[in-house]
Amino acid sequence: MPKRTFKQYKVILAIALVLLTTRIGLNTLYTGDLTIIAGASDITVANVTNAVNNERTQRNLIPLNYNAKLAAAADYKAKDMIARKYFSHTDPEGHYIWDKIVAEGYTPYTVLGENLAIDFSDTAGLVAAWIDSPTHRANLLNTSFEDEGMGVAMGDTNNGEYSVAVANTFGTQPKKSTPKAPTQTTATPPPTKPSTVTNKPVIKNPTPSPIPTTPSNVPAKTNTAPSVNIVINNTDNTVHKNSITLTGSTTPNSTIKITDSASSATPVTAQSDTNGNFIYTFRALNNGTHTFVATINTAKSNAYKVDIAYNPPQIAEQSIQVTPQVQNNQLNIQFSVAVTGAPQTVSASLLGQNINLVSNNNKYVGGLILGEYTNYQNSTVLITAEDQYGNKSNLSIALKDYPLSTAEDPKTLGHIVAKAQSPDLYNTFKYIVLVAGAMFLLFLLGDTLHLSKKKYREDLTRGSNIIVLMLVLSTLLLVTWWH
């Protein structure tokens, strides 16, 4: 076997290191869906909060006070949207954030509001979108609001999550004062309905907070106890959710008991605020007729009768079919799923792409087109079914169990020319680096077997550093060769 010189080892090692460096560099530039990784987002709680107040101060409006209780509710909302993969002011069970705000201790209140956003990459673009939307602008610049809280949560788009979710909560609490004489008090407007914004079409267009009605005089205290009047304001005859939020009015700072005729449980307790308004949400209600009555001692409210007709769409997990195949140099992943109930839309989301599935023979079918060499098996597809009342069902499917056939598998060594022409160059370099590293090891092993010959001892001494470098290179290859 001919002797290899120290210079030859240096050349082989240099080539392997250059290829390895190139392979590592390409791997940081490309993700599984062949998109360049975006830079770090500047969307933080502090940045968005400051930007919101800047918009107010530029218009000579008083900046909002940061409230830890509103912030806790906003943080919960942002994280919940990421974790459960929804974008709505109501969660999958149909609950608004108002109960969470109260649970955090922000009570009593006179008005509440909420803005939401997803998938923005910078604070300036996010707040500009809120300002450009009339309903979001109305919340952000509402002079009735005095406090705000902010929640920001980051997600993993490769897992079907939003890249970022932002929740901005607003509120005002009544001033704490004890009047000595009859004073005027302002009637409480109902909580501001939420509004949303996104870099995609806005899902809902909530109505901004109503202007407070004309104040009325508080009657002077007399020796005669005033009569108690309790009113439940709800009027819907049928609700297509398994929860309902009752609102009503009575005397201020009163404890109200509310009964449900369809439940044998102990009556629940609600508390009216300083303006006499009360609110309570019943959850996990069974289908059927429910009659709600509020009482204070012997005084009773009107009986509110409502039919609960909750029938959310259900995704049949056993029916799901996923068929990946390469066609016309593109990866086509077809989905087929059965959904019961009355879904209005059924969609599939994968690697930042979304498609509405169409009904076909009692199933919903459709497909997503990706780059030919997308490593989709590290991802999860999210199937979502939603009815006309906003009831949703979600199901996540790991695609690791749905490989291409061997002949079509983009991880195979074939199609080198096509790979070299595609952005997926790191796959090509992966094999080149592996071959170069293997050649280096074979050359070194071959010469080591002949070290017993005296004429090679000098080369071993001169090349002692090569052995150390070889060990480093081998370790790097083992750690990084697979993406």
Side-chain angles (χ1 to χ4, degrees):
M1 179 177 181
K3 182 174 80 171
R4 259 171 287 280
T5 66
F6 177 66
K7 183 177 180 180
Q8 288 175 313
Y9 276 120
K10 290 173 65 177
V11 171
I12 295 172
L13 180 63
I15 293 174
L17 287 175
V18 168
L19 291 174
L20 178 62
T21 303
T22 306
R23 181 265 180 278
I24 295 173
L26 287 173
N27 194 40
T28 60
L29 285 176
Y30 295 100
T31 63
D33 59 350
L34 310 182
T35 57
I36 297 178
I37 295 177
S41 170
D42 73 338
I43 295 180
T44 64
V45 169
N47 287 347
V48 182
T49 301
N50 291 335
V52 167
N53 274 332
N54 285 339
E55 293 293 338
R56 292 178 66 92
T57 55
Q58 289 174 10
R59 295 165 176 82
N60 297 319
L61 299 177
I62 298 175
L64 299 171
N65 300 314
Y66 196 78
N67 184 279
K69 297 172 182 177
L70 288 176
D75 182 68
Y76 168 83
K77 180 67 175 183
K79 291 178 178 177
D80 192 49
M81 289 196 298
I82 291 290
R84 297 205 280 171
K85 302 174 183 177
Y86 71 93
F87 180 43
S88 172
H89 289 287
T90 57
D91 63 18
E93 289 75 42
H95 305 144
Y96 285 94
I97 198 173
W98 317 133
D99 288 346
K100 182 64 177 175
I101 291 175
V102 171
E104 292 293 341
Y106 193 84
T107 183
Y109 61 83
T110 59
V111 65
L112 295 175
E114 181 189 46
N115 277 351
L116 300 178
I118 56 169
D119 286 344
F120 279 87
S121 59
D122 63 279
T123 299
L126 164 61
V127 177
W130 275 344
I131 289 294
D132 290 341
S133 170
T135 51
H136 310 92
R137 178 189 178 97
N139 270 348
L140 196 146
L141 303 180
N142 194 332
T143 56
S144 297
F145 292 139
E146 297 179 358
D147 306 320
E148 74 167 323
M150 194 70 63
V152 175
M154 300 297 177
D156 181 3
T157 56
N158 288 328
N159 194 32
E161 298 171 348
Y162 303 120
S163 60
V164 62
V166 180
N168 191 186
T169 50
F170 307 91
T172 298
Q173 292 185 291
K175 298 295 185 293
K176 296 180 179 180
S177 61
T178 305
K180 296 181 180 180
T183 58
Q184 288 188 328
T185 181
T186 302
T188 305
T192 303
K193 293 184 179 179
S195 50
T196 63
V197 65
T198 174
N199 50 350
K200 302 173 184 177
V202 177
I203 294 179
K204 294 183 180 179
N205 292 318
T207 304
S209 303
I211 300 174
T213 57
T214 305
S216 57
N217 290 327
V218 176
K221 183 176 181 180
T222 65
N223 293 328
T224 304
S227 60
V228 176
N229 184 38
I230 314 173
V231 177
I232 295 179
N233 298 330
N234 300 61
T235 58
D236 292 333
N237 296 321
T238 303
V239 172
H240 295 276
K241 293 182 177 293
N242 66 343
S243 64
I244 187 169
T245 299
L246 298 183
T247 62
S249 59
T250 185
T251 54
N253 302 316
S254 299
T255 300
I256 306 107
K257 292 186 177 180
I258 307 175
T259 58
D260 174 11
S261 64
S263 172
S264 59
T266 304
V268 300
T269 300
Q271 186 74 28
S272 63
D273 59 23
T274 55
N275 295 300
N277 298 307
F278 65 88
I279 182 172
Y280 189 86
T281 299
F282 285 85
R283 295 186 172 90
L285 297 176
N286 295 324
N287 284 344
T289 301
H290 296 252
T291 302
F292 299 96
V293 176
T295 61
I296 299 179
N297 297 325
T298 59
K300 290 186 177 183
S301 71
N302 55 307
Y304 170 52
K305 185 177 181 180
V306 61
D307 289 327
I308 300 297
Y310 179 62
N311 183 31
Q314 297 293 328
I315 302 171
E317 184 173 1
Q318 296 79 5
S319 71
I320 292 176
Q321 295 179 352
V322 180
T323 308
Q325 55 186 340
V326 174
Q327 296 177 337
N328 300 322
N329 296 324
Q330 291 180 314
L331 178 62
N332 185 344
I333 303 182
Q334 292 290 323
F335 305 98
S336 175
V337 60
V339 181
T340 59
Q344 188 176 46
T345 60
V346 179
S347 62
S349 300
L350 174 64
L351 295 173
Q353 294 193 39
N354 184 79
I355 186 174
N356 286 331
L357 307 183
V358 297
S359 178
N360 182 20
N361 293 329
N362 298 322
K363 287 192 174 184
Y364 289 83
V365 299
L368 287 170
I369 303 297
L370 304 172
E372 182 175 4
Y373 302 109
T374 300
N375 189 9
Y376 69 94
Q377 286 185 269
N378 288 341
S379 304
T380 300
V381 63
L382 177 67
I383 305 295
T384 301
E386 181 176 4
D387 65 15
Q388 61 177 320
Y389 307 107
N391 298 314
K392 292 182 180 180
S393 294
N394 295 318
L395 182 63
S396 295
I397 308 165
L399 296 181
K400 63 181 180 180
D401 298 325
Y402 298 92
L404 288 163
S405 64
T406 303
E408 296 176 326
D409 191 342
K411 293 181 181 178
T412 60
L413 189 58
H415 307 294
I416 284 291
V417 175
K419 287 185 177 183
Q421 295 173 349
S422 76
D424 198 8
L425 292 176
Y426 72 86
N427 263 329
T428 304
F429 276 97
K430 178 170 64 180
Y431 294 103
I432 295 177
V433 171
L434 187 63
V435 171
M439 289 175 59
F440 177 82
L441 296 177
L442 287 174
F443 288 162
L444 189 62
L445 178 63
D447 285 348
T448 302
L449 294 176
H450 294 79
L451 288 178
S452 58
K453 296 182 180 180
K454 185 175 182 179
K455 61 180 179 180
Y456 284 96
R457 295 189 184 279
E458 182 180 356
D459 282 342
L460 177 62
T461 302
R462 296 173 59 191
S464 59
N465 290 334
I466 294 296
I467 297 177
V468 176
L469 292 175
M470 177 272 294
L471 294 175
V472 173
L473 175 63
S474 301
T475 302
L476 290 174
L477 284 171
L478 290 173
V479 171
T480 66
W481 86 281
W482 184 260
H483 65 85

